[in-house]
Short mmCIF file of all heavy atoms in Angstrom, two decimals:
data_model
loop_
_atom_site.label_atom_id
_atom_site.label_comp_id
_atom_site.label_asym_id
_atom_site.label_seq_id
_atom_site.Cartn_x
_atom_site.Cartn_y
_atom_site.Cartn_z
N ASP A 1 -14.17 -1.51 -0.12
CA ASP A 1 -13.67 -2.67 -0.81
C ASP A 1 -12.70 -2.09 -1.93
O ASP A 1 -13.10 -1.69 -2.96
CB ASP A 1 -14.84 -3.35 -1.55
CG ASP A 1 -14.36 -4.65 -2.20
OD1 ASP A 1 -13.20 -5.02 -2.16
OD2 ASP A 1 -15.25 -5.32 -2.88
N LEU A 2 -11.42 -1.93 -1.49
CA LEU A 2 -10.45 -1.32 -2.34
C LEU A 2 -9.78 -2.37 -3.22
O LEU A 2 -9.52 -3.48 -2.76
CB LEU A 2 -9.36 -0.66 -1.46
CG LEU A 2 -9.88 0.48 -0.59
CD1 LEU A 2 -8.81 0.96 0.36
CD2 LEU A 2 -10.39 1.61 -1.43
N ARG A 3 -9.43 -2.09 -4.34
CA ARG A 3 -8.75 -2.97 -5.30
C ARG A 3 -7.43 -2.31 -5.76
O ARG A 3 -7.41 -1.13 -6.20
CB ARG A 3 -9.60 -3.23 -6.55
CG ARG A 3 -10.96 -3.74 -6.23
CD ARG A 3 -10.91 -5.19 -5.65
NE ARG A 3 -12.22 -5.58 -5.06
CZ ARG A 3 -13.10 -6.31 -5.67
NH1 ARG A 3 -12.87 -6.72 -6.92
NH2 ARG A 3 -14.19 -6.69 -5.11
N PHE A 4 -6.36 -3.01 -5.70
CA PHE A 4 -5.10 -2.49 -6.00
C PHE A 4 -4.47 -3.28 -7.17
O PHE A 4 -4.56 -4.50 -7.16
CB PHE A 4 -4.07 -2.63 -4.80
CG PHE A 4 -4.59 -1.95 -3.58
CD1 PHE A 4 -5.33 -2.63 -2.64
CD2 PHE A 4 -4.38 -0.61 -3.41
CE1 PHE A 4 -5.78 -2.06 -1.52
CE2 PHE A 4 -4.83 0.04 -2.18
CZ PHE A 4 -5.58 -0.70 -1.25
N THR A 5 -3.87 -2.59 -8.09
CA THR A 5 -3.24 -3.20 -9.24
C THR A 5 -1.84 -2.63 -9.45
O THR A 5 -1.75 -1.40 -9.43
CB THR A 5 -4.06 -3.08 -10.53
OG1 THR A 5 -5.38 -3.45 -10.32
CG2 THR A 5 -3.47 -3.83 -11.70
N LEU A 6 -0.81 -3.44 -9.59
CA LEU A 6 0.45 -2.93 -9.91
C LEU A 6 0.61 -2.98 -11.39
O LEU A 6 0.56 -4.05 -12.04
CB LEU A 6 1.57 -3.81 -9.25
CG LEU A 6 3.02 -3.44 -9.42
CD1 LEU A 6 3.19 -1.96 -8.94
CD2 LEU A 6 3.90 -4.39 -8.76
N LEU A 7 0.79 -1.80 -11.94
CA LEU A 7 0.87 -1.70 -13.41
C LEU A 7 2.32 -1.91 -13.83
O LEU A 7 3.22 -1.12 -13.38
CB LEU A 7 0.40 -0.31 -13.91
CG LEU A 7 -1.04 0.06 -13.49
CD1 LEU A 7 -1.42 1.48 -13.94
CD2 LEU A 7 -1.99 -0.94 -14.09
N ASP A 8 2.71 -2.89 -14.54
CA ASP A 8 4.00 -3.31 -14.88
C ASP A 8 4.74 -2.24 -15.66
O ASP A 8 5.93 -1.98 -15.44
CB ASP A 8 4.04 -4.59 -15.75
CG ASP A 8 3.52 -5.78 -14.88
OD1 ASP A 8 3.70 -5.79 -13.66
OD2 ASP A 8 2.97 -6.68 -15.50
N SER A 9 4.05 -1.60 -16.55
CA SER A 9 4.76 -0.74 -17.51
C SER A 9 5.33 0.60 -16.99
O SER A 9 6.20 1.16 -17.48
CB SER A 9 3.83 -0.42 -18.69
OG SER A 9 2.71 0.28 -18.22
N ALA A 10 4.74 1.07 -15.81
CA ALA A 10 5.14 2.37 -15.42
C ALA A 10 5.37 2.60 -13.95
O ALA A 10 5.37 3.71 -13.50
CB ALA A 10 4.06 3.32 -15.85
N CYS A 11 5.65 1.55 -13.21
CA CYS A 11 5.95 1.65 -11.77
C CYS A 11 4.80 2.42 -11.09
O CYS A 11 4.98 3.28 -10.28
CB CYS A 11 7.20 2.39 -11.53
SG CYS A 11 8.69 1.66 -12.26
N MET A 12 3.52 2.06 -11.45
CA MET A 12 2.36 2.70 -10.93
C MET A 12 1.51 1.73 -10.25
O MET A 12 1.37 0.53 -10.64
CB MET A 12 1.52 3.35 -12.06
CG MET A 12 2.33 4.39 -12.89
SD MET A 12 2.59 5.89 -12.12
CE MET A 12 1.00 6.64 -12.28
N LEU A 13 0.80 2.25 -9.21
CA LEU A 13 -0.20 1.50 -8.54
C LEU A 13 -1.52 2.11 -8.93
O LEU A 13 -1.66 3.32 -8.99
CB LEU A 13 0.00 1.68 -6.97
CG LEU A 13 -1.12 1.11 -6.08
CD1 LEU A 13 -0.43 0.81 -4.69
CD2 LEU A 13 -2.22 2.00 -5.88
N ARG A 14 -2.49 1.23 -9.32
CA ARG A 14 -3.82 1.75 -9.69
C ARG A 14 -4.72 1.32 -8.60
O ARG A 14 -4.72 0.13 -8.15
CB ARG A 14 -4.34 1.18 -11.01
CG ARG A 14 -5.70 1.79 -11.37
CD ARG A 14 -6.12 1.40 -12.74
NE ARG A 14 -6.21 -0.04 -12.89
CZ ARG A 14 -5.92 -0.70 -14.00
NH1 ARG A 14 -5.63 -0.05 -15.08
NH2 ARG A 14 -5.99 -2.00 -14.06
N LEU A 15 -5.53 2.25 -8.08
CA LEU A 15 -6.45 2.02 -6.95
C LEU A 15 -7.87 2.20 -7.46
O LEU A 15 -8.14 3.30 -8.04
CB LEU A 15 -6.11 2.98 -5.84
CG LEU A 15 -7.13 3.12 -4.70
CD1 LEU A 15 -7.24 1.81 -3.95
CD2 LEU A 15 -6.69 4.26 -3.87
N ASN A 16 -8.75 1.27 -7.25
CA ASN A 16 -10.10 1.33 -7.60
C ASN A 16 -10.99 0.98 -6.39
O ASN A 16 -10.57 0.14 -5.59
CB ASN A 16 -10.50 0.36 -8.72
CG ASN A 16 -9.91 0.74 -10.04
OD1 ASN A 16 -8.85 0.34 -10.26
ND2 ASN A 16 -10.70 1.42 -10.82
N LEU A 17 -12.12 1.60 -6.28
CA LEU A 17 -13.15 1.14 -5.31
C LEU A 17 -14.02 0.12 -6.10
O LEU A 17 -14.29 0.35 -7.24
CB LEU A 17 -14.06 2.30 -4.86
CG LEU A 17 -13.37 3.29 -4.05
CD1 LEU A 17 -14.22 4.56 -3.91
CD2 LEU A 17 -13.15 2.74 -2.66
N ALA A 18 -14.29 -1.05 -5.46
CA ALA A 18 -15.03 -2.06 -6.17
C ALA A 18 -16.39 -1.57 -6.67
O ALA A 18 -16.82 -1.97 -7.70
CB ALA A 18 -15.23 -3.27 -5.20
N ASP A 19 -17.01 -0.64 -5.93
CA ASP A 19 -18.32 -0.16 -6.27
C ASP A 19 -18.20 0.89 -7.44
O ASP A 19 -19.24 1.17 -8.10
CB ASP A 19 -18.98 0.65 -5.18
CG ASP A 19 -18.94 -0.08 -3.85
OD1 ASP A 19 -18.40 -1.17 -3.79
OD2 ASP A 19 -19.52 0.45 -2.92
N ASP A 20 -17.12 1.46 -7.66
CA ASP A 20 -17.00 2.56 -8.65
C ASP A 20 -15.83 2.28 -9.64
O ASP A 20 -14.71 2.82 -9.46
CB ASP A 20 -16.72 3.88 -7.91
CG ASP A 20 -16.74 5.08 -8.81
OD1 ASP A 20 -16.98 4.89 -10.03
OD2 ASP A 20 -16.55 6.18 -8.30
N ILE A 21 -16.13 1.44 -10.63
CA ILE A 21 -15.03 1.01 -11.52
C ILE A 21 -14.64 2.19 -12.51
O ILE A 21 -13.63 2.12 -13.16
CB ILE A 21 -15.43 -0.18 -12.36
CG1 ILE A 21 -16.73 0.03 -13.16
CG2 ILE A 21 -15.60 -1.42 -11.42
CD1 ILE A 21 -17.11 -1.01 -14.12
N LEU A 22 -15.47 3.28 -12.57
CA LEU A 22 -15.18 4.31 -13.46
C LEU A 22 -14.11 5.23 -12.89
O LEU A 22 -13.39 5.95 -13.63
CB LEU A 22 -16.45 5.13 -13.75
CG LEU A 22 -17.52 4.31 -14.51
CD1 LEU A 22 -18.78 5.24 -14.64
CD2 LEU A 22 -17.01 3.82 -15.78
N GLU A 23 -14.05 5.37 -11.55
CA GLU A 23 -13.10 6.28 -10.95
C GLU A 23 -11.87 5.43 -10.43
O GLU A 23 -12.06 4.51 -9.64
CB GLU A 23 -13.77 6.96 -9.74
CG GLU A 23 -12.86 7.93 -9.04
CD GLU A 23 -13.13 9.35 -9.36
OE1 GLU A 23 -14.28 9.68 -9.53
OE2 GLU A 23 -12.15 10.15 -9.36
N SER A 24 -10.73 5.75 -10.91
CA SER A 24 -9.52 5.10 -10.42
C SER A 24 -8.46 6.20 -10.21
O SER A 24 -8.51 7.29 -10.77
CB SER A 24 -9.03 4.06 -11.40
OG SER A 24 -8.56 4.64 -12.56
N VAL A 25 -7.49 5.82 -9.42
CA VAL A 25 -6.36 6.72 -9.13
C VAL A 25 -5.07 5.99 -9.46
O VAL A 25 -4.92 4.80 -9.11
CB VAL A 25 -6.37 7.06 -7.59
CG1 VAL A 25 -5.15 7.90 -7.24
CG2 VAL A 25 -7.67 7.76 -7.20
N LYS A 26 -4.16 6.67 -10.09
CA LYS A 26 -2.84 6.10 -10.34
C LYS A 26 -1.87 6.84 -9.51
O LYS A 26 -1.86 8.04 -9.41
CB LYS A 26 -2.52 6.18 -11.78
CG LYS A 26 -3.32 5.29 -12.71
CD LYS A 26 -2.87 5.38 -14.13
CE LYS A 26 -3.72 4.53 -15.00
NZ LYS A 26 -3.38 4.66 -16.41
N ILE A 27 -1.05 6.03 -8.84
CA ILE A 27 -0.05 6.58 -7.84
C ILE A 27 1.32 6.03 -8.26
O ILE A 27 1.53 4.80 -8.41
CB ILE A 27 -0.38 6.14 -6.39
CG1 ILE A 27 -1.75 6.62 -6.05
CG2 ILE A 27 0.67 6.64 -5.41
CD1 ILE A 27 -2.34 6.03 -4.82
N GLU A 28 2.25 6.99 -8.47
CA GLU A 28 3.60 6.59 -8.87
C GLU A 28 4.37 6.03 -7.68
O GLU A 28 4.37 6.60 -6.61
CB GLU A 28 4.32 7.79 -9.44
CG GLU A 28 5.63 7.38 -10.06
CD GLU A 28 6.28 8.50 -10.78
OE1 GLU A 28 5.75 9.69 -10.79
OE2 GLU A 28 7.41 8.31 -11.41
N LEU A 29 5.02 4.85 -7.94
CA LEU A 29 5.89 4.29 -6.89
C LEU A 29 7.34 4.41 -7.21
O LEU A 29 7.68 4.65 -8.40
CB LEU A 29 5.50 2.78 -6.76
CG LEU A 29 4.09 2.42 -6.48
CD1 LEU A 29 3.87 0.98 -6.52
CD2 LEU A 29 3.70 2.94 -5.05
N GLY A 30 8.16 4.29 -6.24
CA GLY A 30 9.62 4.25 -6.49
C GLY A 30 10.35 5.56 -6.29
O GLY A 30 11.51 5.48 -5.96
N LYS A 31 9.72 6.69 -6.55
CA LYS A 31 10.45 7.98 -6.45
C LYS A 31 10.36 8.59 -5.07
O LYS A 31 11.35 9.19 -4.58
CB LYS A 31 9.96 8.93 -7.52
CG LYS A 31 10.33 8.57 -8.88
CD LYS A 31 9.96 9.61 -9.89
CE LYS A 31 10.45 9.22 -11.24
NZ LYS A 31 10.17 10.18 -12.24
#
């Protein structure tokens, strides 16, 4: 159960597992 959020301020995608809200990954988009 993956959750994706587009962070407006920094061209970043944030990825969370629904079960693990403490662990997230930020991935830079655009470059």
Side-chain angles (χ1 to χ4, degrees):
D1 188 3
L2 300 172
R3 306 292 169 97
F4 304 94
T5 307
L6 182 59
L7 304 175
D8 293 330
S9 60
C11 304
M12 302 288 280
L13 176 152
R14 183 175 56 214
L15 167 66
N16 291 85
L17 291 166
D19 311 3
D20 187 0
I21 59 170
L22 298 177
E23 179 103 36
S24 68
V25 175
K26 290 183 181 176
I27 300 166
E28 187 172 4
L29 302 173
K31 290 188 177 182

